[in-house]
Amino acid sequence: MPHSVTPSIEQDSLKIAILGAAGGIGQSLSLLLKAQLQYQLKESNRSVTHIHLALYDVNQEAINGVTADLSHIDTPISVSSHSPAGGIENCLHNASIVVIPAGVPRKPGMTRDDLFNVNAGIISQLGDSIAECCDLSKVFVLVISNPVNSLVPVMVSNILKNHPQSRNSGIERRIMGVTKLDIVRASTFLREINIESGLTPRVNSMPDVPVIGGHSGETIIPLFSQSNFLSRLNEDQLKYLIHRVQYGGDEVVKAKNGKGSATLSMAHAGYKCVVQFVSLLLGNIEQIHGTYYVPLKDANNFPIAPGADQLLPLVDGADYFAIPLTITTKGVSYVDYDIVNRMNDMERNQMLPICVSQLKKNIDKGLEFVASRS
Ligand code: NAI
């Protein structure tokens, strides 16, 4: 009995590769994509008539099982199983979107930074494979693995330094760290506190809360001052909310008691991101407006896109930052630096400097790792 359904991937297919697909995030994310992406196809005006999920994991048994299981779900999205035995090449070849939740998750007492040594090795190897197998002038790479603050610099600088074909490909405009879970949490926690305190009658809508900076502890800056939700939070409530967004991941790590970190909420956040890229590539939308952690400078040390030149001095030269972006099929096309100008005094004078000083260390750690690799 086949454990995967692998139709020939034709010109009319959109292929999404998920690396680390047998893990906690990978499985749930693959399920959401397998079950839901057909609705994007229905809206599509383009010639793409098919979406394929290529699932890769170093755990061969697990990935075969996950793929067989998913392949029985009654949607027209096809799936295939890949592991080192058959090679990662078949998984990545012709992929338009590569999503990476591969690596080890946190255990209680660990910070995201503690994961660096193992996960940096994994990310740079996967980056080598992406550079060798994908069309660097087109592919989008979404990095979920932690620590995002350091691993996105690893992914970008490794590809640019070690793969000459990346030159002038613009790949650095299409590699993004996924910080969406922080935004999801900020929205959930704000709504919760509003309802608890009787501050809002709008119980059925979810607030938008911009979250910028990085994806760990105090590098996460939730901008409750710029939320669209009518709320009059007192100082204690605001402090509580900011801390809860910055350390929300610890609640899950503690509750799982050694059995990993956030997987289901992360899969939900990741799904929200991937579906936007699918929509973009199918031509259902012309641009994505979303927040990702990206390099602000390109391979030639020029600002990555309009708006990045204005942002760089505001963030004291930190050259990777999570910020609202406009993204087209070519990659980041605009950086919404003005969100920093709209910060209130506390956000700008207290939170931003702490974020930037920690972020710079995290970025340097990633860059030093790549520099030390022969
Ligand atoms: P997990 O341990 O359940 O799954 C990781 C999977 O990666 C495993 O199936 C493992 O076999 C696979 N893997 C390991 N090395 C690999 C390689 N070289 N190539 C392909 N696959 C490989 O972990 P979980 O909970 O799914 O978390 C994955 C990563 O996502 C962790 O680094 C975690 O910290 C991070 N994470 C990121 C979040 C974010 O907001 N960006 C939120 C939550 C977790």
Side-chain angles (χ1 to χ4, degrees):
M1 199 182 81
H3 63 254
S4 66
V5 179
T6 318
S8 57
I9 308 295
E10 308 288 351
Q11 289 294 324
D12 59 1
S13 284
L14 177 76
K15 184 176 178 187
I16 304 165
I18 303 181
L19 312 182
I25 296 168
Q27 286 198 32
S28 318
L29 176 61
S30 303
L31 170 62
L32 289 171
L33 295 171
K34 168 72 172 130
Q36 298 297 328
L37 282 184
Q38 58 180 320
Y39 302 111
Q40 298 301 312
L41 271 178
K42 283 188 184 150
E43 284 177 26
S44 174
N45 298 322
R46 292 230 172 136
S47 53
V48 175
T49 55
H50 186 80
I51 297 177
H52 181 77
L53 297 179
L55 309 180
Y56 175 85
D57 203 288
V58 286
N59 186 337
Q60 185 182 359
E61 253 186 26
I63 199 63
N64 284 346
V66 167
T67 311
D69 199 355
L70 288 173
S71 74
H72 291 191
I73 292 175
D74 58 346
T75 63
I77 311 301
S78 57
V79 289
S80 58
S81 174
H82 306 268
S83 66
I88 196 170
E89 299 78 11
N90 288 336
C91 172
L92 289 173
H93 181 64
N94 271 337
S96 300
I97 304 168
V98 180
V99 191
I100 311 184
V104 290
R106 286 191 289 160
K107 297 221 157 54
M110 286 174 91
T111 65
R112 291 179 182 89
D113 219 27
D114 294 332
L115 305 172
F116 178 80
N117 285 335
V118 178
N119 288 353
I122 292 174
I123 285 294
S124 44
Q125 271 176 11
L126 294 176
D128 291 339
S129 302
I130 290 168
E132 283 153 21
C133 306
C134 294
D135 180 345
L136 292 183
S137 65
K138 289 192 177 147
V139 70
F140 281 94
V141 180
L142 303 182
V143 178
I144 292 176
S145 319
N146 270 320
V148 166
N149 291 0
S150 303
L151 294 190
V152 175
V154 168
M155 176 62 81
V156 172
S157 67
N158 176 49
I159 291 187
L160 294 179
K161 173 175 169 248
N162 295 320
H163 299 277
Q165 72 276 31
S166 67
R167 276 181 212 132
N168 302 320
S169 68
I171 182 64
E172 64 272 36
R173 291 189 171 78
R174 278 173 280 99
I175 298 175
M176 334 230 156
V178 177
T179 58
K180 182 78 173 174
L181 184 52
D182 304 322
I183 296 171
V184 164
R185 285 183 177 137
S187 173
T188 308
F189 301 158
L190 176 60
R191 178 174 178 273
E192 231 172 74
I193 205 167
N194 270 280
I195 291 169
E196 275 166 19
S197 351
L199 285 173
T200 175
R202 291 196 291 166
V203 289
N204 289 327
S205 58
M206 294 305 296
D208 287 328
V209 183
V211 182
I212 65 171
H215 175 64
S216 123
E218 289 179 288
T219 67
I220 300 172
I221 308 181
L223 298 176
F224 287 105
S225 65
Q226 295 185 35
S227 166
N228 63 345
F229 224 52
L230 180 69
S231 56
R232 277 171 233 95
L233 301 168
N234 63 37
E235 206 176 311
D236 286 347
Q237 287 173 318
L238 187 61
K239 270 193 190 152
Y240 162 82
L241 270 182
I242 291 170
H243 186 271
R244 196 162 178 215
V245 174
Q246 291 179 329
Y247 295 94
D250 294 0
E251 290 179 23
V252 183
V253 171
K254 201 169 157 215
K256 290 195 176 180
N257 195 20
K259 297 200 172 61
S261 56
T263 54
L264 302 174
S265 50
M266 180 58 235
H268 163 79
Y271 171 75
K272 284 184 148 194
C273 297
V274 177
V275 85
Q276 288 277 296
F277 283 92
V278 169
S279 224
L280 177 73
L281 296 178
L282 290 177
N284 299 346
I285 54 174
E286 282 177 14
Q287 298 174 332
I288 295 174
H289 296 287
T291 297
Y292 291 90
Y293 178 74
V294 293
L296 299 179
K297 291 183 187 161
D298 70 10
N300 299 314
N301 230 15
F302 291 124
I304 192 104
D309 42 348
Q310 285 94 332
L311 180 62
L312 278 159
L314 296 174
V315 296
D316 194 20
D319 46 17
Y320 285 75
F321 208 78
I323 190 93
L325 304 163
T326 303
I327 301 163
T328 66
T329 51
K330 291 192 162 53
V332 175
S333 70
Y334 183 70
V335 176
D336 181 11
Y337 68 96
D338 206 34
I339 197 163
V340 176
N341 289 328
R342 295 194 300 270
M343 288 165 103
N344 67 21
D345 284 353
M346 191 268 291
E347 291 161 349
R348 191 196 310 224
N349 299 330
Q350 292 176 33
M351 297 175 78
L352 186 61
I354 296 173
C355 159
V356 167
S357 94
Q358 293 189 11
L359 208 49
K360 282 179 163 176
K361 289 184 198 141
N362 296 159
I363 296 165
D364 285 347
K365 193 167 178 175
L367 299 178
E368 280 158 20
F369 177 86
V370 175
S372 68
R373 250 182 125 217
S374 55

